[in-house]
Coordinates of all heavy atoms in Angstrom, one line a residue:
M1039 N 5.1 46.8 -68.1 CA 4.1 46.2 -67.2 C 2.7 46.6 -67.7 O 2.3 47.7 -67.4 CB 4.3 46.6 -65.8 CG 5.6 46.0 -65.2 SD 5.9 46.4 -63.5 CE 6.5 48.1 -63.7
A1040 N 2.1 45.8 -68.5 CA 0.8 46.1 -69.0 C -0.3 45.6 -68.2 O -0.2 44.6 -67.4 CB 0.7 45.4 -70.4
T1041 N -1.4 46.3 -68.2 CA -2.6 45.9 -67.5 C -3.7 45.8 -68.6 O -3.9 46.7 -69.4 CB -3.0 47.0 -66.5 OG1 -2.0 47.1 -65.6 CG2 -4.3 46.6 -65.8
T1042 N -4.5 44.7 -68.5 CA -5.5 44.4 -69.5 C -6.8 44.1 -68.8 O -6.9 43.3 -67.9 CB -5.1 43.1 -70.3 OG1 -3.8 43.3 -70.9 CG2 -6.2 42.9 -71.4
V1043 N -7.8 44.9 -69.1 CA -9.2 44.6 -68.6 C -9.8 43.4 -69.3 O -9.8 43.4 -70.5 CB -10.1 45.9 -68.7 CG1 -11.5 45.6 -68.3 CG2 -9.5 47.1 -68.0
L1044 N -10.2 42.4 -68.5 CA -10.8 41.2 -69.1 C -12.3 41.2 -69.0 O -13.0 40.6 -69.9 CB -10.2 40.0 -68.4 CG -8.7 39.9 -68.4 CD1 -8.2 38.8 -67.5 CD2 -8.2 39.7 -69.8
E1045 N -12.9 41.8 -68.0 CA -14.3 41.9 -67.7 C -14.5 43.1 -66.9 O -13.6 43.8 -66.5 CB -14.9 40.7 -67.0 CG -14.8 39.4 -67.8 CD -15.3 38.2 -67.0 OE1 -16.2 38.4 -66.2 OE2 -14.8 37.1 -67.3
T1046 N -15.8 43.4 -66.7 CA -16.1 44.6 -65.9 C -15.5 44.6 -64.5 O -15.2 45.6 -63.9 CB -17.7 44.7 -65.7 OG1 -18.3 44.7 -67.0 CG2 -18.1 46.0 -65.0
N1047 N -15.3 43.4 -63.9 CA -14.8 43.3 -62.6 C -13.4 42.5 -62.5 O -13.0 42.1 -61.4 CB -15.8 42.5 -61.7 CG -16.0 41.1 -62.1 OD1 -15.8 40.7 -63.3 ND2 -16.4 40.3 -61.2
R1048 N -12.8 42.4 -63.7 CA -11.6 41.5 -63.7 C -10.5 42.1 -64.6 O -10.9 42.5 -65.7 CB -11.9 40.1 -64.1 CG -10.8 39.1 -64.0 CD -11.3 37.7 -64.1 NE -12.0 37.4 -65.4 CZ -11.4 36.8 -66.4 NH1 -10.1 36.3 -66.3 NH2 -12.0 36.6 -67.5
W1049 N -9.3 42.1 -64.2 CA -8.2 42.5 -65.1 C -6.9 41.7 -64.8 O -6.8 41.0 -63.8 CB -7.9 44.0 -64.8 CG -7.2 44.3 -63.5 CD1 -5.8 44.5 -63.4 CD2 -7.8 44.5 -62.2 NE1 -5.6 44.8 -62.0 CE2 -6.7 44.8 -61.3 CE3 -9.1 44.5 -61.8 CZ2 -7.0 45.1 -60.0 CZ3 -9.3 44.7 -60.4 CH2 -8.2 45.0 -59.6
R1050 N -6.0 41.7 -65.8 CA -4.7 41.0 -65.7 C -3.6 42.1 -65.6 O -3.6 43.1 -66.4 CB -4.5 40.2 -66.9 CG -3.1 39.5 -66.9 CD -2.9 38.6 -68.0 NE -3.7 37.4 -67.8 CZ -3.7 36.3 -68.7 NH1 -2.9 36.3 -69.7 NH2 -4.5 35.3 -68.4
H1051 N -2.7 41.9 -64.7 CA -1.6 42.8 -64.5 C -0.3 42.0 -64.8 O 0.0 41.0 -64.1 CB -1.6 43.4 -63.1 CG -0.6 44.5 -62.9 ND1 -1.0 45.8 -63.1 CD2 0.7 44.5 -62.6 CE1 0.1 46.6 -62.9 NE2 1.1 45.8 -62.6
D1052 N 0.5 42.4 -65.8 CA 1.8 41.8 -66.1 C 2.8 42.2 -65.0 O 2.9 43.4 -64.7 CB 2.2 42.3 -67.5 CG 3.5 41.7 -68.0 OD1 4.0 40.7 -67.3 OD2 4.0 42.2 -69.0
L1053 N 3.5 41.2 -64.5 CA 4.5 41.5 -63.5 C 6.0 41.5 -64.0 O 6.9 41.6 -63.3 CB 4.4 40.5 -62.4 CG 3.1 40.5 -61.6 CD1 3.0 39.3 -60.7 CD2 3.0 41.8 -60.9
A1054 N 6.1 41.3 -65.4 CA 7.5 41.2 -66.0 C 8.2 42.5 -65.7 O 7.7 43.6 -65.9 CB 7.4 41.0 -67.5
G1055 N 9.4 42.4 -65.2 CA 10.3 43.5 -64.9 C 10.0 44.2 -63.6 O 10.6 45.2 -63.3
R1056 N 9.0 43.8 -62.9 CA 8.7 44.5 -61.6 C 9.6 44.0 -60.6 O 9.6 42.8 -60.2 CB 7.2 44.2 -61.2 CG 6.8 45.0 -60.0 CD 5.4 44.9 -59.7 NE 4.9 45.7 -58.6 CZ 4.1 46.7 -58.7 NH1 3.6 47.1 -59.9 NH2 3.8 47.4 -57.7
D1057 N 10.4 44.9 -60.0 CA 11.3 44.5 -59.0 C 11.1 45.3 -57.7 O 11.8 45.2 -56.8 CB 12.8 44.6 -59.5 CG 13.1 46.0 -60.0 OD1 12.3 46.9 -60.0 OD2 14.3 46.1 -60.5
A1058 N 10.1 46.2 -57.8 CA 9.8 47.0 -56.7 C 8.9 46.3 -55.7 O 8.9 45.1 -55.7 CB 9.2 48.3 -57.2
D1059 N 8.1 47.0 -55.0 CA 7.2 46.4 -54.1 C 6.0 45.7 -54.8 O 5.7 46.0 -55.9 CB 6.6 47.4 -53.0 CG 5.6 48.4 -53.7 OD1 4.5 47.9 -53.9 OD2 6.0 49.5 -53.9
F1060 N 5.4 44.8 -54.1 CA 4.2 44.1 -54.6 C 3.0 44.4 -53.7 O 2.2 43.5 -53.5 CB 4.5 42.6 -54.7 CG 5.5 42.2 -55.7 CD1 6.9 42.4 -55.6 CD2 5.1 41.7 -56.9 CE1 7.8 42.1 -56.6 CE2 5.9 41.4 -58.0 CZ 7.3 41.6 -57.8
C1061 N 3.0 45.6 -53.3 CA 1.9 46.0 -52.3 C 0.8 46.8 -53.0 O -0.4 46.5 -52.7 CB 2.6 46.9 -51.3 SG 1.4 47.5 -50.0
L1062 N 1.1 47.7 -53.9 CA 0.0 48.5 -54.5 C 0.0 48.3 -56.0 O 1.0 48.4 -56.7 CB 0.3 50.0 -54.2 CG 0.2 50.4 -52.8 CD1 0.6 51.9 -52.6 CD2 -1.2 50.3 -52.3
F1063 N -1.2 48.1 -56.6 CA -1.4 48.0 -58.0 C -2.6 48.9 -58.4 O -3.7 48.8 -57.8 CB -1.7 46.5 -58.4 CG -0.5 45.7 -58.2 CD1 -0.3 45.0 -57.0 CD2 0.4 45.5 -59.2 CE1 0.9 44.2 -56.8 CE2 1.5 44.7 -59.1 CZ 1.8 44.1 -57.8
R1064 N -2.5 49.7 -59.4 CA -3.5 50.5 -59.9 C -4.7 49.7 -60.4 O -4.5 48.8 -61.2 CB -3.0 51.5 -61.0 CG -4.1 52.5 -61.5 CD -3.6 53.6 -62.2 NE -2.7 54.5 -61.4 CZ -3.1 55.4 -60.5 NH1 -4.4 55.5 -60.2 NH2 -2.2 56.1 -59.8
I1065 N -5.9 50.1 -60.1 CA -7.1 49.5 -60.6 C -7.5 50.2 -61.9 O -7.6 51.4 -61.9 CB -8.3 49.6 -59.6 CG1 -7.9 48.9 -58.3 CG2 -9.6 49.0 -60.1 CD1 -8.8 49.2 -57.1
P1066 N -7.7 49.5 -63.0 CA -8.1 50.1 -64.2 C -9.4 50.9 -64.0 O -10.3 50.5 -63.3 CB -8.3 48.9 -65.2 CG -7.5 47.8 -64.6 CD -7.5 48.0 -63.1
K1067 N -9.4 52.0 -64.7 CA -10.6 52.9 -64.6 C -11.9 52.2 -64.9 O -12.9 52.4 -64.2 CB -10.4 54.1 -65.5 CG -11.5 55.2 -65.3 CD -11.3 56.4 -66.2 CE -12.4 57.4 -66.0 NZ -12.2 58.6 -66.9
N1068 N -11.9 51.4 -65.9 CA -13.2 50.7 -66.3 C -13.6 49.8 -65.2 O -14.8 49.6 -65.0 CB -12.9 49.9 -67.6 CG -12.7 50.7 -68.8 OD1 -12.7 51.9 -68.7 ND2 -12.4 50.1 -69.9
V1069 N -12.7 49.1 -64.5 CA -13.1 48.2 -63.4 C -13.5 49.0 -62.2 O -14.5 48.7 -61.6 CB -11.9 47.3 -63.1 CG1 -12.2 46.4 -61.8 CG2 -11.5 46.4 -64.2
F1070 N -12.8 50.0 -61.9 CA -13.1 50.9 -60.8 C -14.5 51.4 -60.9 O -15.3 51.4 -59.9 CB -12.1 52.0 -60.7 CG -12.2 52.9 -59.5 CD1 -11.7 52.5 -58.3 CD2 -12.9 54.1 -59.5 CE1 -11.8 53.3 -57.1 CE2 -13.1 54.9 -58.4 CZ -12.5 54.5 -57.2
E1071 N -14.8 51.9 -62.1 CA -16.2 52.5 -62.3 C -17.2 51.4 -62.4 O -18.3 51.5 -61.9 CB -16.2 53.4 -63.5 CG -15.3 54.6 -63.4 CD -15.2 55.4 -64.6 OE1 -15.6 55.0 -65.7 OE2 -14.6 56.6 -64.5
G1072 N -16.9 50.3 -63.1 CA -17.9 49.2 -63.3 C -18.3 48.5 -62.0 O -19.4 48.1 -61.9
C1073 N -17.4 48.4 -61.1 CA -17.7 47.8 -59.8 C -18.1 48.8 -58.7 O -18.4 48.4 -57.6 CB -16.4 47.0 -59.3 SG -16.0 45.6 -60.3
R1074 N -18.2 50.0 -59.1 CA -18.5 51.1 -58.2 C -17.7 51.0 -56.9 O -18.2 51.1 -55.8 CB -20.0 51.0 -57.9 CG -20.9 51.3 -59.1 CD -22.3 51.3 -58.8 NE -23.1 51.5 -60.0 CZ -24.3 51.0 -60.2 NH1 -24.8 50.3 -59.3 NH2 -24.9 51.3 -61.3
V1075 N -16.4 50.9 -57.1 CA -15.5 50.8 -56.0 C -15.4 52.2 -55.3 O -15.3 53.2 -56.0 CB -14.1 50.3 -56.5 CG1 -13.1 50.3 -55.3 CG2 -14.2 48.9 -57.1
L1076 N -15.3 52.2 -54.0 CA -15.2 53.4 -53.3 C -13.8 53.5 -52.7 O -13.2 52.5 -52.2 CB -16.2 53.5 -52.1 CG -17.7 53.5 -52.5 CD1 -18.5 53.4 -51.3 CD2 -18.0 54.7 -53.4
W1077 N -13.2 54.7 -52.7 CA -11.9 54.9 -52.1 C -11.9 54.5 -50.6 O -13.0 54.7 -49.9 CB -11.4 56.3 -52.2 CG -11.1 56.8 -53.6 CD1 -11.2 56.0 -54.7 CD2 -10.8 58.1 -54.0 NE1 -10.9 56.8 -55.8 CE2 -10.7 58.1 -55.4 CE3 -10.7 59.3 -53.3 CZ2 -10.3 59.2 -56.1 CZ3 -10.3 60.4 -54.0 CH2 -10.2 60.4 -55.4
N1078 N -10.8 54.1 -50.1 CA -10.7 53.7 -48.7 C -11.7 52.8 -48.2 O -12.3 52.9 -47.1 CB -10.6 55.0 -47.8 CG -9.5 55.9 -48.2 OD1 -8.4 55.5 -48.5 ND2 -9.8 57.2 -48.4
S1079 N -12.0 51.7 -49.0 CA -12.9 50.7 -48.6 C -12.2 49.3 -48.8 O -11.0 49.3 -49.2 CB -14.2 50.7 -49.5 OG -13.8 50.5 -50.8
K1080 N -12.9 48.3 -48.5 CA -12.3 46.9 -48.6 C -13.3 46.2 -49.5 O -14.5 46.3 -49.5 CB -12.2 46.2 -47.3 CG -11.1 46.8 -46.5 CD -10.8 45.9 -45.3 CE -9.8 46.6 -44.4 NZ -8.6 45.7 -44.3
R1081 N -12.7 45.4 -50.4 CA -13.5 44.5 -51.3 C -12.9 43.1 -51.3 O -11.7 42.9 -51.2 CB -13.4 45.1 -52.7 CG -14.0 46.4 -52.9 CD -15.5 46.6 -52.6 NE -16.4 45.9 -53.5 CZ -17.0 46.5 -54.5 NH1 -16.8 47.8 -54.8 NH2 -17.8 45.8 -55.3
L1082 N -13.8 42.1 -51.4 CA -13.4 40.7 -51.5 C -12.9 40.5 -52.9 O -13.6 40.9 -53.9 CB -14.5 39.8 -51.2 CG -14.2 38.3 -51.3 CD1 -13.2 37.9 -50.2 CD2 -15.5 37.5 -51.0
V1083 N -11.7 40.0 -53.1 CA -11.1 39.7 -54.4 C -10.6 38.3 -54.5 O -10.3 37.7 -53.4 CB -9.9 40.7 -54.7 CG1 -10.4 42.1 -54.7 CG2 -8.7 40.5 -53.8
E1084 N -10.5 37.8 -55.7 CA -9.8 36.6 -56.0 C -8.7 36.9 -56.9 O -8.9 37.5 -58.0 CB -10.7 35.5 -56.5 CG -10.0 34.2 -56.7 CD -11.0 33.0 -57.0 OE1 -11.6 32.5 -56.0 OE2 -11.1 32.7 -58.2
I1085 N -7.5 36.5 -56.6 CA -6.3 36.7 -57.4 C -5.8 35.3 -57.9 O -5.6 34.4 -57.1 CB -5.2 37.4 -56.6 CG1 -5.6 38.8 -56.2 CG2 -3.9 37.4 -57.4 CD1 -4.7 39.5 -55.2
T1086 N -5.7 35.2 -59.2 CA -5.2 34.0 -59.8 C -3.8 34.3 -60.4 O -3.7 35.3 -61.2 CB -6.1 33.5 -61.0 OG1 -7.4 33.3 -60.4 CG2 -5.6 32.2 -61.6
L1087 N -2.8 33.6 -60.0 CA -1.4 33.8 -60.5 C -1.1 33.0 -61.8 O -1.8 32.0 -62.0 CB -0.4 33.4 -59.4 CG -0.6 34.1 -58.1 CD1 0.4 33.6 -57.1 CD2 -0.5 35.6 -58.2
S1088 N -0.1 33.4 -62.5 CA 0.3 32.7 -63.7 C 0.6 31.2 -63.5 O 0.5 30.4 -64.4 CB 1.4 33.4 -64.4 OG 2.5 33.5 -63.5
N1089 N 1.0 30.9 -62.3 CA 1.4 29.5 -62.0 C 0.2 28.7 -61.5 O 0.3 27.5 -61.1 CB 2.5 29.4 -60.9 CG 2.1 30.1 -59.6 OD1 0.9 30.4 -59.3 ND2 3.1 30.4 -58.8
G1090 N -1.0 29.3 -61.6 CA -2.3 28.5 -61.2 C -2.7 28.7 -59.8 O -3.8 28.3 -59.4
R1091 N -1.9 29.3 -58.9 CA -2.3 29.5 -57.5 C -3.4 30.5 -57.4 O -3.3 31.5 -58.1 CB -1.0 29.9 -56.7 CG -1.3 30.1 -55.3 CD -0.1 30.5 -54.5 NE -0.4 30.9 -53.2 CZ 0.4 31.5 -52.4 NH1 1.6 31.8 -52.8 NH2 0.0 31.8 -51.2
R1092 N -4.3 30.3 -56.5 CA -5.4 31.2 -56.3 C -5.4 31.7 -54.9 O -5.1 30.9 -54.0 CB -6.8 30.6 -56.6 CG -7.0 30.3 -58.0 CD -8.4 29.7 -58.2 NE -8.6 29.2 -59.6 CZ -9.3 29.9 -60.5 NH1 -9.9 31.0 -60.1 NH2 -9.4 29.5 -61.7
M1093 N -5.6 33.0 -54.7 CA -5.7 33.6 -53.4 C -7.0 34.4 -53.3 O -7.3 35.1 -54.2 CB -4.5 34.5 -53.1 CG -3.1 33.7 -53.3 SD -1.7 34.8 -53.1 CE -1.7 35.7 -54.6
R1094 N -7.6 34.3 -52.1 CA -8.9 35.0 -52.0 C -8.9 35.7 -50.6 O -8.5 35.1 -49.6 CB -10.0 34.0 -52.0 CG -11.4 34.6 -52.0 CD -12.4 33.5 -52.2 NE -13.7 34.1 -52.4 CZ -14.6 33.5 -53.1 NH1 -14.4 32.3 -53.7 NH2 -15.8 34.1 -53.3
G1095 N -9.3 37.0 -50.6 CA -9.4 37.7 -49.3 C -9.8 39.1 -49.6 O -10.0 39.5 -50.7
F1096 N -9.8 39.9 -48.5 CA -10.2 41.3 -48.6 C -8.9 42.1 -48.8 O -7.9 41.9 -48.2 CB -10.9 41.8 -47.3 CG -12.3 41.3 -47.3 CD1 -12.7 40.1 -46.7 CD2 -13.3 42.1 -47.9 CE1 -14.0 39.7 -46.6 CE2 -14.6 41.7 -47.9 CZ -15.0 40.5 -47.2
C1097 N -9.1 43.1 -49.8 CA -8.0 44.0 -50.1 C -8.5 45.4 -49.9 O -9.7 45.7 -50.1 CB -7.5 43.9 -51.5 SG -6.6 42.4 -51.8
T1098 N -7.7 46.3 -49.4 CA -8.1 47.7 -49.3 C -7.9 48.4 -50.6 O -7.0 48.2 -51.3 CB -7.1 48.4 -48.2 OG1 -7.3 47.7 -47.0 CG2 -7.5 49.8 -48.0
I1099 N -8.9 49.3 -50.9 CA -8.8 50.2 -52.0 C -8.4 51.5 -51.6 O -9.0 52.2 -50.7 CB -10.2 50.3 -52.7 CG1 -10.9 49.0 -52.9 CG2 -10.1 51.2 -53.9 CD1 -10.2 48.0 -53.8
T1100 N -7.2 52.0 -52.1 CA -6.7 53.3 -51.7 C -7.3 54.4 -52.5 O -8.0 54.1 -53.5 CB -5.2 53.3 -51.8 OG1 -4.8 53.3 -53.2 CG2 -4.5 52.2 -51.1
S1101 N -6.9 55.6 -52.2 CA -7.5 56.8 -53.0 C -6.8 57.0 -54.3 O -7.1 57.9 -55.0 CB -7.4 58.0 -52.1 OG -6.1 58.3 -51.8
G1102 N -5.9 56.1 -54.7 CA -5.1 56.2 -55.9 C -5.8 56.1 -57.2 O -5.5 56.9 -58.1
P1103 N -6.8 55.3 -57.6 CA -7.3 54.2 -56.8 C -6.4 53.0 -57.0 O -6.1 52.6 -58.2 CB -8.7 53.9 -57.3 CG -8.6 54.4 -58.7 CD -7.6 55.5 -58.8
E1104 N -5.9 52.4 -56.0 CA -5.0 51.3 -56.1 C -5.5 50.2 -55.2 O -6.2 50.4 -54.2 CB -3.6 51.6 -55.7 CG -3.0 52.6 -56.6 CD -1.6 53.1 -56.2 OE1 -1.5 53.5 -55.0 OE2 -0.7 53.1 -57.0
L1105 N -5.2 49.0 -55.5 CA -5.5 47.8 -54.7 C -4.3 47.5 -53.8 O -3.2 47.4 -54.3 CB -5.7 46.6 -55.6 CG -6.3 45.3 -55.0 CD1 -7.7 45.5 -54.6 CD2 -6.2 44.2 -56.0
R1106 N -4.5 47.5 -52.5 CA -3.4 47.2 -51.5 C -3.4 45.7 -51.3 O -4.4 45.2 -50.7 CB -3.6 48.0 -50.2 CG -2.4 47.7 -49.2 CD -2.6 48.6 -48.0 NE -2.6 50.0 -48.2 CZ -1.5 50.8 -48.4 NH1 -0.3 50.2 -48.3 NH2 -1.7 52.1 -48.6
I1107 N -2.4 45.1 -51.7 CA -2.3 43.6 -51.6 C -1.9 43.2 -50.1 O -0.9 43.8 -49.6 CB -1.3 43.0 -52.6 CG1 -1.6 43.5 -54.0 CG2 -1.1 41.5 -52.4 CD1 -2.9 42.9 -54.5
P1108 N -2.6 42.3 -49.5 CA -2.2 41.9 -48.1 C -0.8 41.3 -48.1 O -0.4 40.6 -49.1 CB -3.2 40.9 -47.7 CG -4.4 41.1 -48.7 CD -3.8 41.7 -49.9
A1109 N -0.1 41.4 -47.0 CA 1.3 40.9 -46.9 C 1.4 39.4 -47.2 O 2.3 39.0 -47.9 CB 1.8 41.2 -45.5
G1110 N 0.4 38.7 -46.8 CA 0.4 37.2 -47.0 C 0.3 36.8 -48.5 O 0.6 35.7 -48.9
F1111 N -0.2 37.7 -49.4 CA -0.3 37.5 -50.8 C 1.0 37.9 -51.6 O 1.2 37.4 -52.7 CB -1.5 38.2 -51.4 CG -2.8 37.7 -51.0 CD1 -3.0 36.8 -50.0 CD2 -3.9 38.2 -51.6 CE1 -4.3 36.4 -49.7 CE2 -5.2 37.8 -51.3 CZ -5.4 36.9 -50.3
Q1112 N 1.7 38.8 -51.0 CA 2.8 39.4 -51.8 C 3.9 38.4 -52.2 O 4.5 38.5 -53.3 CB 3.4 40.5 -51.0 CG 2.5 41.7 -50.9 CD 3.0 42.8 -50.0 OE1 4.2 43.0 -50.0 NE2 2.1 43.5 -49.4
D1113 N 4.3 37.4 -51.4 CA 5.3 36.4 -51.8 C 4.8 35.7 -53.0 O 5.6 35.4 -53.9 CB 5.6 35.5 -50.7 CG 6.5 36.1 -49.6 OD1 7.1 37.2 -49.9 OD2 6.5 35.6 -48.5
G1114 N 3.5 35.3 -53.1 CA 3.0 34.6 -54.3 C 3.2 35.5 -55.5 O 3.5 35.0 -56.6
L1115 N 2.9 36.8 -55.4 CA 3.0 37.6 -56.6 C 4.5 37.7 -57.1 O 4.8 37.8 -58.3 CB 2.6 39.1 -56.3 CG 1.1 39.2 -56.0 CD1 0.7 40.6 -55.6 CD2 0.3 38.8 -57.2
R1116 N 5.4 37.7 -56.2 CA 6.9 37.7 -56.5 C 7.3 36.5 -57.4 O 8.2 36.6 -58.2 CB 7.7 37.8 -55.3 CG 7.7 39.1 -54.6 CD 8.7 39.1 -53.4 NE 8.7 40.4 -52.8 CZ 7.8 40.8 -51.8 NH1 6.9 40.0 -51.3 NH2 7.9 42.0 -51.3
E1117 N 6.6 35.4 -57.2 CA 6.9 34.2 -58.0 C 6.2 34.1 -59.3 O 6.4 33.1 -60.0 CB 6.6 33.0 -57.1 CG 7.4 33.0 -55.8 CD 6.9 31.9 -54.8 OE1 5.9 31.2 -55.1 OE2 7.4 31.9 -53.7
A1118 N 5.3 35.0 -59.6 CA 4.4 34.9 -60.8 C 4.9 35.9 -61.9 O 5.6 36.8 -61.7 CB 3.0 35.2 -60.4
E1119 N 4.5 35.5 -63.1 CA 4.8 36.4 -64.3 C 3.6 37.4 -64.5 O 3.9 38.5 -65.0 CB 4.9 35.5 -65.6 CG 6.1 34.6 -65.5 CD 6.1 33.7 -66.8 OE1 5.5 34.1 -67.8 OE2 6.7 32.7 -66.7
W1120 N 2.4 37.1 -64.1 CA 1.3 37.9 -64.1 C 0.3 37.5 -63.1 O 0.4 36.4 -62.6 CB 0.7 38.0 -65.5 CG 0.3 36.7 -66.1 CD1 1.1 36.0 -67.0 CD2 -0.8 35.8 -65.9 NE1 0.5 34.7 -67.3 CE2 -0.7 34.6 -66.6 CE3 -1.9 35.9 -65.1 CZ2 -1.6 33.6 -66.6 CZ3 -2.9 34.9 -65.1 CH2 -2.7 33.8 -65.9
F1121 N -0.7 38.3 -62.8 CA -1.9 37.9 -62.0 C -3.1 38.5 -62.6 O -3.1 39.5 -63.2 CB -1.7 38.3 -60.5 CG -1.9 39.8 -60.2 CD1 -3.1 40.3 -59.9 CD2 -0.8 40.6 -60.2 CE1 -3.3 41.6 -59.6 CE2 -0.9 41.9 -59.9 CZ -2.2 42.5 -59.6
E1122 N -4.2 37.8 -62.4 CA -5.6 38.3 -62.7 C -6.2 38.6 -61.3 O -6.1 37.7 -60.4 CB -6.4 37.3 -63.5 CG -5.9 37.1 -64.9 CD -6.8 36.2 -65.7 OE1 -7.8 35.7 -65.2 OE2 -6.3 35.9 -66.8
C1123 N -6.9 39.7 -61.3 CA -7.6 40.1 -60.1 C -9.1 40.2 -60.4 O -9.4 40.9 -61.4 CB -7.1 41.3 -59.5 SG -7.9 41.8 -57.9
E1124 N -10.0 39.6 -59.6 CA -11.4 39.7 -59.9 C -12.0 40.2 -58.6 O -11.8 39.7 -57.5 CB -12.0 38.4 -60.2 CG -13.5 38.4 -60.4 CD -14.0 37.0 -60.8 OE1 -13.3 36.0 -60.8 OE2 -15.2 37.0 -61.2
I1125 N -12.8 41.3 -58.7 CA -13.5 41.8 -57.5 C -14.8 41.1 -57.5 O -15.6 41.1 -58.4 CB -13.7 43.4 -57.7 CG1 -12.4 44.1 -57.7 CG2 -14.6 43.9 -56.6 CD1 -12.5 45.6 -57.9
I1126 N -15.0 40.3 -56.4 CA -16.1 39.4 -56.3 C -17.1 39.7 -55.2 O -18.1 39.1 -55.1 CB -15.6 37.9 -56.2 CG1 -14.7 37.8 -55.0 CG2 -15.0 37.4 -57.4 CD1 -14.3 36.3 -54.7
G1127 N -16.7 40.6 -54.3 CA -17.6 40.9 -53.2 C -17.7 42.4 -53.0 O -17.0 43.2 -53.5
V1128 N -18.7 42.7 -52.2 CA -18.9 44.1 -51.8 C -18.1 44.5 -50.6 O -17.4 43.7 -50.0 CB -20.4 44.3 -51.5 CG1 -21.3 44.1 -52.7 CG2 -20.9 43.4 -50.4
E1129 N -18.2 45.7 -50.2 CA -17.4 46.3 -49.1 C -17.6 45.5 -47.9 O -18.7 45.0 -47.6 CB -17.7 47.7 -48.9 CG -17.4 48.6 -50.0 CD -17.9 50.0 -49.9 OE1 -17.8 50.5 -48.7 OE2 -18.4 50.6 -50.8
S1130 N -16.6 45.4 -47.1 CA -16.7 44.7 -45.8 C -17.1 45.6 -44.7 O -17.0 46.8 -44.9 CB -15.4 44.0 -45.4 OG -14.4 44.9 -45.2

């Protein structure tokens, strides 16, 4: 499961072989630092799936630092081969 940084605020996460939960995903260090993300905060993100579906909403940033995916988005991730996540907003 590879992660590729695409821009300062965007990365792609490969979901091949992932059979565990679809709740937490590590934020690449470059993105975390570039977006000045704070632990235990919320950020507006847009997630684009390999099948073209887009989802937009607030996600919690854990102290991991990981992105906690809302329950309503998780089924979409299960159906995709990869997703791109873009941090587009500031803390809520």
Side-chain angles (χ1 to χ4, degrees):
M1039 292 179 282
T1041 300
T1042 305
V1043 175
L1044 303 170
E1045 293 180 32
T1046 307
N1047 65 333
R1048 187 166 63 99
W1049 73 96
R1050 177 179 286 185
H1051 191 91
D1052 182 11
L1053 297 171
R1056 188 175 182 112
D1057 55 4
D1059 72 73
F1060 287 80
C1061 181
L1062 294 173
F1063 292 90
R1064 181 162 300 281
I1065 300 169
K1067 183 178 180 179
N1068 295 358
V1069 174
F1070 186 81
E1071 292 173 353
C1073 290
R1074 297 183 179 147
V1075 175
L1076 300 174
W1077 293 355
N1078 301 317
S1079 65
K1080 290 187 183 243
R1081 298 298 289 265
L1082 181 61
V1083 302
E1084 183 167 280
I1085 295 174
T1086 304
L1087 304 177
S1088 58
N1089 59 16
R1091 181 177 172 194
R1092 290 181 187 257
M1093 302 177 287
R1094 186 179 190 146
F1096 283 93
C1097 292
T1098 300
I1099 311 298
T1100 69
S1101 60
E1104 294 172 314
L1105 189 70
R1106 181 178 302 276
I1107 304 294
F1111 289 10
Q1112 292 177 29
D1113 285 339
L1115 292 177
R1116 286 184 178 88
E1117 299 169 2
E1119 295 176 22
W1120 51 263
F1121 73 89
E1122 288 183 9
C1123 184
E1124 181 177 5
I1125 297 177
I1126 56 175
V1128 295
E1129 297 174 38
S1130 65

